[in-house]
Amino acid sequence: MAAIKELSKSLVQPFLAVVIGLLTGALVIAAVGESILGTYQEMWKGAFGSFYFLTSTLARATPIMLIALGLSLAFRAGVFNLGAEGQMVLGAVSAALVAIYLPAPGMIKIVAGIFAGMAVGGFWALLPGFMEARFRIPLLISTLLFNYIAVLFASYLVTEPFRDRSGSAALAQTVMLEKSAWLPKLFAGMSVHAGFLFAIVAALLLFWVLRFTPFGYEVKMLGQNSLFAQYGGINRIRVMLTGMFASGGLAGLAGTVEVMGAHYRFVDGALTVPGFAWTGLMAALLANSHPLGIIVTSILLAAFQTGAMGVERNTDVPLELASVIQAVLILFISAKFSYDWWKKRKAKGGESHGAL
């Protein structure tokens, strides 16, 4: 019952934010001169109107969900990992190169590619964590800047040494993976692949770890009150580094499943242009970093994106409608964090005056 109550509480905020976003979107639709109800019906159809559209939404939600789960673990430990984009891209290119050049059967290539993607993403996140622990370089800054290094380095790899020169020269990309190294589709002819199952299992596993293990308790204590947790004997640096590695590993897995289940090669810009990392950040914040809530918010945000494509196809409302709604969600999240910060500061001020 406590778990259900906690999940329900974590979903109140995202649904309130979505309502506000849809009301703002209605203003945009009215300004264009289209029917508000008709436009939202087209958005629903584009996201869930048929089994094909449903599976497309779930496929879109897969990398968003994995990234959001990784970020939620870091946030719950009281650290800010803003480097999911770089961790995702480096994990993706590593998985692609391993799956392409490893001389092994297809199943071995799949397993090795998944482990390589998660390991590289994890170690790329671990490096800023080490810099924070050793040199006091803020994670908020280092993880953000590491995105540029990772994305540009991956771009170099597929532009020069590992570029596919047998096909079109217009795209910087690796050669295609062998079919035996592709992640299987969950349904024939549909876009959703086994990576979606990985994301669901990861959410359930993370929920269990955070709720029923000593490590989960340490993460919770550090996120709520780091000074009290350290006073109680919790090793902040160990938990922070473990959380960063796991966070980066999940981001690397997000890139890996996109490469091995959707694109079947690493294409420069294919993971950064859709904004998976930043949408994942939004999904984590909307769900208050609750693993089960992230399943809902990830599918919801993916539905906005796939639904907006249907709106653009069948109405005069532009695709940017989804961007407008997401921008409102970001403002809602920012307002909530600002209010919480102001409330905590006011409470501390009251305690200081009371002590005087």
Side-chain angles (χ1 to χ4, degrees):
M1 288 298 293
I4 296 175
K5 186 177 179 181
E6 182 185 351
L7 176 60
S8 301
K9 186 177 179 182
S10 70
L11 292 177
V12 169
Q13 176 187 319
F15 280 116
L16 179 60
V18 167
V19 169
I20 296 173
L22 291 175
L23 291 175
T24 307
L27 297 177
V28 176
I29 296 168
V32 175
E34 287 283 340
S35 164
I36 295 173
L37 182 59
T39 300
Y40 281 139
Q41 285 177 339
E42 291 296 335
M43 178 175 280
W44 174 265
K45 290 178 184 176
F48 304 110
S50 69
F51 189 66
Y52 174 81
F53 290 140
L54 171 62
T55 56
S56 296
T57 298
L58 297 181
R60 183 86 173 191
T62 298
I64 296 172
M65 195 184 306
L66 286 167
I67 289 170
L69 290 169
L71 294 179
S72 71
L73 176 59
F75 293 158
R76 278 179 171 259
V79 294
F80 291 91
N81 176 16
L82 295 185
E85 185 169 75
Q87 296 147 20
M88 171 184 64
V89 169
L90 275 190
V93 72
S94 301
L97 294 177
V98 167
I100 290 168
Y101 295 106
L102 181 68
M107 183 55 65
I108 302 298
K109 285 176 177 280
I110 291 175
V111 174
I114 290 173
F115 275 105
M118 293 184 69
V120 170
F123 280 113
W124 190 247
L126 195 60
L127 185 55
F130 171 77
M131 292 166 61
E132 159 85 15
R134 183 69 177 81
F135 304 109
R136 302 294 182 186
I137 298 175
L139 276 171
L140 191 66
I141 297 173
S142 60
T143 53
L144 189 61
L145 295 179
F146 267 46
N147 286 329
Y148 297 98
I149 301 173
V151 171
L152 292 174
F153 179 65
S155 179
Y156 162 75
L157 290 178
V158 296
T159 302
E160 293 296 335
F162 298 106
R163 181 169 185 161
D164 178 14
R165 302 186 186 279
S166 62
S168 171
L171 291 176
Q173 59 188 16
T174 65
V175 298
M176 186 169 284
L177 279 65
E178 297 176 3
K179 282 194 174 182
S180 61
W182 294 7
L183 285 179
K185 299 293 186 184
L186 297 184
F187 306 98
M190 303 298 171
S191 56
V192 65
H193 49 75
F196 180 73
L197 296 182
F198 295 167
I200 296 296
V201 170
L204 297 175
L205 182 61
L206 184 57
F207 173 75
W208 178 79
V209 167
L210 291 174
R211 192 167 184 84
F212 299 110
T213 67
F215 176 73
Y217 173 78
E218 292 177 342
V219 167
K220 181 181 178 180
M221 288 297 100
L222 274 175
Q224 290 181 349
N225 192 324
S226 61
L227 292 176
F228 176 79
Q230 292 178 76
Y231 181 77
I234 295 175
N235 188 328
R236 176 186 174 274
I237 293 178
R238 177 181 60 82
V239 175
M240 183 265 289
L241 293 178
T242 304
M244 285 297 293
F245 181 81
S247 179
L250 286 168
L253 179 60
T256 298
V257 298
E258 279 298 289
V259 163
M260 303 183 77
H263 304 293
Y264 308 123
R265 64 172 81 207
F266 181 84
V267 182
D268 188 26
L271 298 177
T272 54
V273 171
F276 290 136
W278 305 110
T279 307
L281 173 63
M282 196 186 313
L285 294 176
L286 274 175
N288 284 322
S289 297
H290 192 291
L292 301 184
I294 284 172
I295 297 176
V296 177
T297 56
S298 298
I299 294 175
L300 191 63
L301 292 174
F304 280 137
Q305 296 173 357
T306 55
M309 297 176 190
V311 168
E312 188 174 53
R313 283 193 302 268
N314 300 312
T315 71
D316 291 329
V317 179
L319 181 66
E320 284 71 24
L321 173 63
S323 300
V324 171
I325 295 174
Q326 289 191 6
V328 174
L329 298 183
I330 293 172
L331 287 174
F332 183 91
I333 294 169
S334 301
K336 178 185 178 297
F337 273 89
S338 299
Y339 175 73
D340 291 343
W341 173 82
W342 176 80
K343 201 161 70 169
K344 287 180 181 179
R345 185 178 180 184
K346 187 176 179 182
K348 287 181 180 179
E351 289 174 4
S352 299
H353 288 304
L356 289 173

